[in-house]
Amino acid sequence: MIIVPHFIRTNWFLCGILFAICLASTAPSIGAKGGILRPEITVKFLAVAIIFFNSGISLRSEDLTRALVQFKLHLFIQGWTFLIFPFLINILVSLMKDGPFDKLLLQGLLVLGCMPPPVSSAVILTKAVSGNEAAAIFNSAVGSFVGIFVTPSLILLNVGSAVDVPVSSIFVQLSLTVVVPLFWGQLIRRRYRTWLERNPIPFGSIGSVILLLIIYTTFCDTFSHAEINLDFLSLISIVFLIVILQCGLLWMVFYVTTRPWLNFEPTDTTALMFCSTHKSLTLGIPIIKIVFSGDPGLSVITIPLLVYHPTQILLGGLLVPPLKEWMYSARRNRYMMAKHV
């Protein structure tokens, strides 16, 4: 009787993920778009703003300043997101195009590869493992802004469809939900730094709770898509493929960034893993709807991104405990090696 509560206390985030998914499967209409929780407002705007305000008020200004000049790390993330990821997806699709896989799903995979990084999930997960949160914030914000311009060009190059994205409205939305809350958080931290250091606030737990809300509403939206015209076997195949794809990408980034010649810190590796492999549903779905407006295959083309988004959050959440343990172990080993030199 004592073991179960102890397990829940020590693994409350993983238990929360399972509970959120089960809750979403029983009543998806509550957290789906247009539902009682209104995630198109509470999550898309309010939750994201809280995440970056939370990061702004909890991050030391010197850490954020130091992250701005980590050019090698920024180049790796943006290069992986907009060059290597689409290239790998193109190779995968070319290998599968002569097989029995649905052609619209393959087209959806190509579109998925063109998507920008998400605004919030990579930041929360990096914070949850005590990784380089400042670098995650910078690259999530920059990648989202860059994606406004680069993603349409990549879609034109890979799929052959031109798209006129409402740049100004997306730019304003990202500024209000990312830049402004981060700025105000930093201002408050500078003003009340002494008080905040004397009265520690559980910023990490706050971020994790918000992530659980995002997971819940994301799966509500996923479970509520009953109108998708796709057979069960194809749907299971794409889910299996995307899980394997994400595991492979996460392993590749981990393997590459832990090579000694790149000289990345363990905290950098965690940020690199999440920022380089995650894709944005918030920016992605509107772009896809604009590109394929009136296309009867629109619902099928969106499936890879609809599956990828909750999978990246779920896998990321499951990786938090082992990554945190690895990171502390790697840092301890580095310290011991440096001590003996």
Side-chain angles (χ1 to χ4, degrees), residues 71-92:
F71 301 116
K72 181 175 64 175
L73 186 146
H74 306 327
L75 185 63
F76 184 98
I77 292 174
Q78 302 306 323
W80 189 283
T81 300
F82 295 112
L83 293 175
I84 297 176
F85 196 117
F87 175 72
L88 293 174
I89 292 292
N90 265 281
I91 293 175
L92 178 64

Side-chain angles (χ1 to χ4, degrees), residues 39 46 53 114 136 142 144 146 165 174 210 215 221 238 248 263 268 272 280 309 314 325 334:
L46 187 59
F53 177 79
C114 303
V142 169
S144 296
V146 169
V165 176
L174 288 172
I210 294 173
I215 290 172
D221 226 26
I238 192 66
N263 199 31
D268 296 334
L272 286 158
S280 175
H309 182 72
L314 181 59
E325 186 178 339
R334 283 196 176 196

Side-chain angles (χ1 to χ4, degrees), residues 46-76:
L46 187 59
V48 172
I50 291 172
I51 288 167
F52 281 91
F53 177 79
N54 184 37
S55 295
I57 202 171
S58 62
L59 262 180
R60 294 186 304 173
S61 300
E62 50 268 32
D63 289 342
L64 195 56
T65 304
R66 194 181 305 116
L68 294 178
V69 295
Q70 290 185 282
F71 301 116
K72 181 175 64 175
L73 186 146
H74 306 327
L75 185 63
F76 184 98

Side-chain angles (χ1 to χ4, degrees), residues 118-135:
V119 176
S120 55
S121 62
V123 174
I124 300 176
L125 289 167
T126 303
K127 186 183 184 71
V129 298
S130 303
N132 191 341
E133 184 189 356

